[in-house]
Amino acid sequence: MGEAPAFVVDDLKGNFTNGFHLKSKGYETSIDFGCNKTYVIGATENESKPTFGVRIFNKSTDEWVIPNVLGTKPEPSIGHSAIILDEERILVIKGNTSSDDSFWFLEVNTAFVREQKTRLGTEVVAWSKGVIGEAEKPIVISGPSGVGKGTLISKLMEEFPSTFGFSVSHTTRAPRNNEQNGVHYHYTERSVMEKDIEDGKFLEFAAVHGNLYGTSVEAVDVVADKGKRCVLDIDVQGARSVRASSLEAIFIFICPPSFEELEKRLRARGTETEEQIQKRLRNAKAELEQGKSPGLFDHILVNDNLETCYEKLKKLLGLTDGVKNTPKTVFHVPLEHTVSRIDQKILINCGVEEQEKSATNMFVLDFTSIKGGAPARTRGLRFYAVEPSINGTIGTQIPS
Ligand SMILES: Nc1ncnc2c1ncn2[C@@H]1O[C@H](COP(=O)(O)OP(=O)(O)OP(=O)(O)O)[C@@H](O)[C@H]1O
Ligand SMILES: Nc1nc2c(ncn2[C@@H]2O[C@H](COP(=O)(O)O)[C@@H](O)[C@H]2O)c(=O)[nH]1
C-alpha cells in the first residue's frame, strides 16, 4: 500500500458524512468520486499553516496518489464542504468567507485536466475559482511592435484606474531603462520560466522577437481579485492561445496606418538596437497578415491619430457613456453550513444562529449557466438568498 500522506483513509471513514459521500475531519474533507477514487481536500496535519492540498486514494490499487495541482488554489480556510457537481468537477465551499470567495471548483476530469494528464503523464487536478454572475470579459490587445498598444492601454488605465487592471506578463528580455519589475513585466530567467510553463502556471506563452513572453494564470487572477477588468498586451500567437483556452475575452487587433509609419514609431521610441528593430519589423509583416485570420480578432482598430483611435477603443468597450458599476450583493457563508442538491442547484443551509443575525439562513447556488473553468475562472454562478420553506423545496427568492 502507498504511504498515506498525513492522514489515513480509515480515519476519515469514521467521521461525519452529510449524505454526499462527504466526510469531514478538521480541515480535511474526503469525497468519493466514481467507483474507485477518494479525493481528500484540505490541510495536511504536519503543516502549521493549513493549505488546500489534494490527495487521491485509489481504492482499486490501495494506493495514495499526490496529483499535480494546477491553477490558483484557494486561500486556506478553517472549514469547507464539498460536493460532486458532475463527472468532471467537485465544488468546494469555503466556510467563514464572503460569497465572492466561497465557491471553488476542483476539476478532476475536465477537458483541460485530461489534456494536462496526457501532457504531464501524471495524475492532475486543477482549481478554478467560481465567479458569481458575468464578470466583465478580459480584453486582449495585439498588434505589431511599435503600433501603440502600450500607449493606448496606458491611456485606458489612467482614465479608468478602478475599472481596468493590467495583466503583468513574464518575459526573459532585459528591462528597458524606464521599466520596473512587477509593473511592466516580471523579468525572469529562461530556465525558471520554462519550469513554470512545465508546471502549468501559464495561460499562454510564446517566443517573440527572440525572447520568451507569457501570461501567468496568476497575472489574470490578481486583476480579477481586485474586481477589475483585465487587459492583456500580447502578441498574435498569444492571442491565438488565449482564444483556444477557457478564458473568454474580447480580442482587439491594432494596425498601423502604414508600414512606414510603424517603422518611424519603432525608431522614434529609441528602445531597440538596429538589429532588434529589423527583427521586429520582419515579424510585424507576419503579424499584420495573421491579424486578418478569420475568427481570431473581434475588432480591428487603425492607430493613425492617437486620440481618434483611443475614442474608438473606448466606444467599442462601451465606455463613452460613463462606466456603469452595478453594485454586487455579497453574503457571508458561515463556517457551519450544510449543503444539499436539487437538480442544478445547491441549497446552502446556514443554521438557526445565522437566521437570528439576518433575514435568512438559506441560500441557493445555481450552476445551470457556468462557463469557463481552469486554468481561468468559472463564471456564471448565480447565488441568492431564499425564504426557508417548510417542505424542503427551494423557497421564494429574497430580492437583493
Ligand atoms: N497614434 C500614434 N501616433 C504617433 N505615435 C504614436 C501613436 N501611438 C503610439 N505612438 C508612439 O509610438 C511608439 C510605440 O508605441 P508603443 O510603445 O505604445 O507600442 P507597442 O505596440 O506597445 O510596442 P511593443 O509591442 O513593442 O511593446 C511610442 O513612442 C508611442 O509614443
Ligand atoms: N504572447 C505574449 N506576448 C507578449 C506578452 N507580453 C508582451 N507580449 C508581446 O511581446 C511583444 C514585445 O513586447 P516588448 O515589451 O518587448 O516591446 C509585443 O508584441 C507584446 O504584445 C505575453 O505575456 N505573451
Side-chain angles (χ1 to χ4, degrees):
M1 178 171 169
E3 194 187 335
F7 34 76
V8 286
V9 98
D10 283 341
D11 234 7
L12 291 156
K13 280 184 184 149
N15 283 284
F16 166 73
T17 170
N18 74 348
F20 290 94
H21 316 292
L22 165 80
K23 302 134 195 149
S24 290
K25 179 174 179 279
Y27 297 151
E28 304 142 13
T29 298
S30 81
I31 189 158
D32 289 341
F33 198 92
C35 342
N36 60 4
K37 282 185 181 171
T38 300
Y39 284 79
V40 182
I41 306 161
T44 49
E45 285 175 352
N46 55 359
E47 287 181 61
S48 54
K49 187 173 172 243
T51 63
F52 265 100
V54 181
R55 317 278 188 273
I56 306 165
F57 185 70
N58 187 327
K59 289 185 248 173
S60 55
T61 58
D62 233 17
E63 280 186 340
W64 284 97
V65 177
I66 314 248
N68 255 307
V69 182
L70 305 179
T72 308
K73 55 179 147 179
E75 282 295 310
S77 70
I78 51 171
H80 59 274
S81 51
I83 186 166
I84 294 171
L85 265 204
D86 47 34
E87 310 83 61
E88 300 190 335
R89 67 201 110 190
I90 295 166
L91 171 69
V92 174
I93 303 177
K94 282 171 67 176
N96 199 24
T97 52
S98 65
S99 51
D100 53 3
D101 184 40
S102 286
F103 309 113
W104 289 78
F105 295 89
L106 184 69
E107 299 191 3
V108 297
N109 195 29
T110 54
F112 172 73
V113 166
R114 288 195 300 272
E115 194 185 304
Q116 299 303 316
K117 280 182 189 175
T118 312
R119 185 177 71 83
L120 297 167
T122 60
E123 187 62 70
V124 171
V125 295
W127 285 105
S128 172
K129 184 177 176 176
V131 176
I132 295 164
E134 278 301 317
E136 293 258 53
K137 288 180 185 170
I139 302 153
V140 171
I141 300 196
S142 273
S145 178
V147 75
K149 302 179 297 293
T151 309
L152 288 163
I153 293 169
S154 298
K155 283 175 80 67
L156 205 57
M157 298 291 167
E158 252 165 55
E159 193 178 354
F160 304 99
S162 53
T163 306
F164 297 101
F166 185 60
S167 157
V168 181
S169 295
H170 282 64
T171 182
T172 59
R173 88 148 160 75
R176 294 175 184 142
N177 285 341
N178 62 338
E179 289 181 341
Q180 277 170 271
N181 191 23
V183 176
H184 298 90
Y185 282 104
H186 298 288
Y187 300 94
T188 317
E189 290 288 323
R190 185 175 273 266
S191 58
V192 175
M193 192 162 164
E194 282 172 348
K195 166 83 173 65
D196 286 348
I197 290 170
E198 188 58 33
D199 290 346
K201 293 188 182 163
F202 280 83
L203 186 64
E204 64 76 32
F205 61 91
V208 189
H209 317 314
N211 281 297
L212 210 51
Y213 292 77
T215 309
S216 68
V217 175
E218 198 183 347
V220 177
D221 283 355
V222 160
V223 175
D225 284 343
K226 290 184 190 146
K228 296 186 186 183
R229 192 169 180 188
C230 190
V231 183
L232 288 79
D233 174 345
I234 59 177
D235 86 318
V236 178
Q237 307 169 76
R240 216 179 272 285
S241 303
V242 176
R243 195 44 119 181
S245 80
S246 59
L247 187 76
E248 268 189 81
I250 293 182
F251 294 78
I252 302 170
F253 188 76
I254 313 287
C255 276
S258 67
F259 201 78
E260 291 69 37
E261 174 64 17
L262 181 72
E263 179 166 0
K264 204 167 112 195
R265 285 181 198 173
L266 206 46
R267 288 189 188 287
R269 190 170 69 182
T271 48
E272 266 72 36
T273 62
E274 181 57 31
E275 193 189 341
Q276 285 161 350
I277 290 174
Q278 290 304 332
K279 187 180 262 181
R280 284 177 183 238
L281 288 174
R282 275 196 303 279
N283 292 340
K285 288 208 169 99
E287 291 208 75
L288 287 168
E289 269 311 305
Q290 288 176 35
K292 295 180 211 150
S293 306
L296 181 52
F297 290 97
D298 303 305
H299 307 276
I300 297 183
L301 289 179
V302 179
N303 182 17
D304 189 347
N305 176 283
L306 181 62
E307 288 314 317
T308 314
C309 183
Y310 181 57
E311 285 309 312
K312 284 185 186 160
L313 176 65
K314 285 202 293 182
K315 191 162 179 221
L316 71 85
L317 295 176
L319 296 166
T320 38
D321 305 327
V323 184
K324 297 171 208 84
N325 280 325
T326 323
K328 258 203 310 185
T329 313
V330 177
F331 296 102
H332 180 77
V333 178
L335 187 59
E336 298 291 334
H337 62 265
T338 55
V339 286
S340 51
R341 180 170 173 170
I342 301 169
D343 302 324
Q344 296 287 87
K345 297 186 175 81
I346 305 284
L347 192 58
I348 303 168
N349 189 336
C350 301
V352 184
E353 272 179 38
E354 284 302 308
Q355 197 162 11
E356 281 165 12
K357 287 190 229 151
S358 59
T360 185
N361 63 343
M362 299 281 259
F363 297 95
V364 168
L365 183 71
D366 181 338
F367 57 96
T368 324
S369 313
I370 54 172
K371 289 188 225 160
R377 303 293 165 105
T378 301
R379 298 178 296 107
L381 279 172
R382 287 187 61 231
F383 186 62
Y384 49 87
V386 285
E387 301 274 10
S389 74
I390 353 152
N391 59 4
T393 56
I394 295 176
T396 334
Q397 181 170 349
I398 298 175
S400 50

